[in-house]
Amino acid sequence: MAAPVSLPAAQEGSALIRVRSVSKFYGGAKVLDEVSMDVRSGEVRCIIGPSGSGKSTLLRCLNALTGFDSGAIVVGDTRVGYTERDGRLLPWTPRQAAAFRSRVGLVSQHVNLFSHRTVIENVIEGPKYVLGVPAREARERAAELLARVGLSDKHDSYPIQLSGGQQQRAAIARALAMQPHVILFDKATSALDPELVGEVLAVIRQLAADGMSEGDAIASVLPERDCLAAAIQTVVPLFYWYTCNYLIFIEKSALIKRQPDRWDVKI
């Protein structure tokens, strides 16, 4: 592994997520090529690009689900993947990585709700057994979150009794129950019928408008079916445009960023 790059806090302090010159290889294939980006508090950034361009891999690196071969990632004041000790950077243990992931939510295209648990039981599981939140407090918080995502009447329903959009909204409530500083959406609408996509994006957009809590941010990978139209026409469906305030294109493992007022190329 190449030596991680330095990230001077004094120069980068305004960003909640800082990614600098991150590269990732699978065998001889370079799936991330010197990627650099910032996500600031209160921002929603949507990452789009063709299949295999490295979108999901980037989110997995942000969440410490996979390592990277060079560069650096900092979330808040935590350097992802390393602990500094006596002037050296030591790789995280599995326990340290798991502790970090409890503070960075991830909602994927596969909701993975416990089929034998009700909706509200799915939401309170993490806070009770990972964060040690008392059962009554966890249930009250879960009820608030389910109301926030429009599922206040589904507490006692099982996942099989929900539509795909409802299952995805339950997964969002479950992620929020862990009180994450950052929440990542990895193709969260790709398995849904087109008519259900809007209800999930509306929840994401509302989270962005209200703020998950002070000092939080959202990063989202969009499904390839919508990325194709965006990449060819440089137009994103209005639902996505209104959901995020910054679009990031990935092509051939490198970032090509799109802002409303300018193009900014990172290679």
Side-chain angles (χ1 to χ4, degrees):
M1 178 179 291
V5 302
S6 61
L7 279 169
Q11 297 178 15
E12 308 287 353
S14 62
L16 183 59
I17 300 174
R18 292 171 274 158
V19 180
R20 291 295 178 272
S21 303
V22 167
S23 294
K24 169 72 177 176
F25 291 86
Y26 285 118
K30 195 171 193 177
V31 294
L32 292 176
D33 186 6
E34 297 287 327
V35 169
S36 296
M37 60 176 278
D38 287 344
V39 184
R40 291 173 173 77
S41 297
E43 285 187 338
V44 181
R45 299 210 173 193
C46 294
I47 304 168
I48 66 178
S51 180
S53 59
K55 305 182 302 296
S56 293
T57 298
L58 177 57
L59 289 197
R60 290 175 62 84
C61 290
L62 291 177
N63 201 35
L65 282 170
T66 190
F68 45 94
D69 296 297
S70 63
I73 298 173
V74 173
V75 176
D77 58 359
T78 300
R79 184 164 194 147
V80 178
Y82 295 93
T83 300
E84 187 171 354
R85 185 178 302 164
D86 298 327
R88 296 186 302 154
L89 292 174
L90 304 178
W92 276 353
T93 64
R95 183 183 294 271
Q96 289 173 313
F100 170 77
R101 284 195 292 271
S102 71
R103 297 183 283 115
V104 178
L106 176 64
V107 179
S108 70
Q109 57 187 315
H110 307 295
V111 294
N112 294 323
L113 296 171
F114 293 119
S115 61
H116 63 295
R117 302 279 193 184
T118 64
V119 169
I120 197 165
E121 287 171 343
N122 268 279
V123 176
I124 67 175
E125 197 84 0
K128 278 179 60 178
Y129 296 106
V130 177
L131 302 182
V133 176
R136 182 175 178 178
E137 181 182 339
R139 181 170 286 271
E140 290 174 352
R141 171 67 173 159
E144 293 173 0
L145 291 171
L146 289 172
R148 191 173 179 183
V149 299
L151 294 177
S152 56
D153 60 338
K154 300 294 183 183
H155 288 196
D156 299 321
S157 298
Y158 287 88
I160 197 172
Q161 298 172 311
L162 304 181
S163 69
Q166 289 171 333
Q167 289 182 22
Q168 200 60 274
R169 284 185 280 152
I172 293 172
R174 180 182 59 184
L176 291 173
M178 296 297 289
Q179 302 179 43
H181 299 301
V182 174
I183 188 163
L184 310 172
F185 292 90
D186 187 7
K187 305 173 190 171
T189 62
S190 66
L192 301 180
D193 293 333
E195 62 269 20
L196 298 177
V197 170
E199 66 182 62
V200 175
L201 291 178
V203 170
I204 298 173
R205 188 171 66 248
Q206 194 60 49
L207 288 176
D210 296 345
M212 294 182 295
S213 64
E214 184 178 354
D216 295 335
I218 298 174
S220 176
V221 164
L222 304 185
E224 282 87 356
R225 64 168 182 250
D226 299 301
C227 298
L228 183 61
I232 293 174
Q233 304 172 26
T234 67
V235 172
V236 175
L238 285 178
F239 257 124
Y240 292 120
W241 186 259
Y242 289 132
T243 298
C244 63
N245 49 26
Y246 203 119
L247 293 175
I248 300 173
F249 289 79
I250 290 188
E251 185 178 7
K252 297 179 181 178
S253 307
L255 291 193
I256 304 175
K257 299 182 182 180
R258 174 72 169 98
Q259 285 183 301
D261 59 341
R262 72 177 188 273
W263 285 94
D264 186 12
V265 180
K266 295 278 186 180
I267 299 177

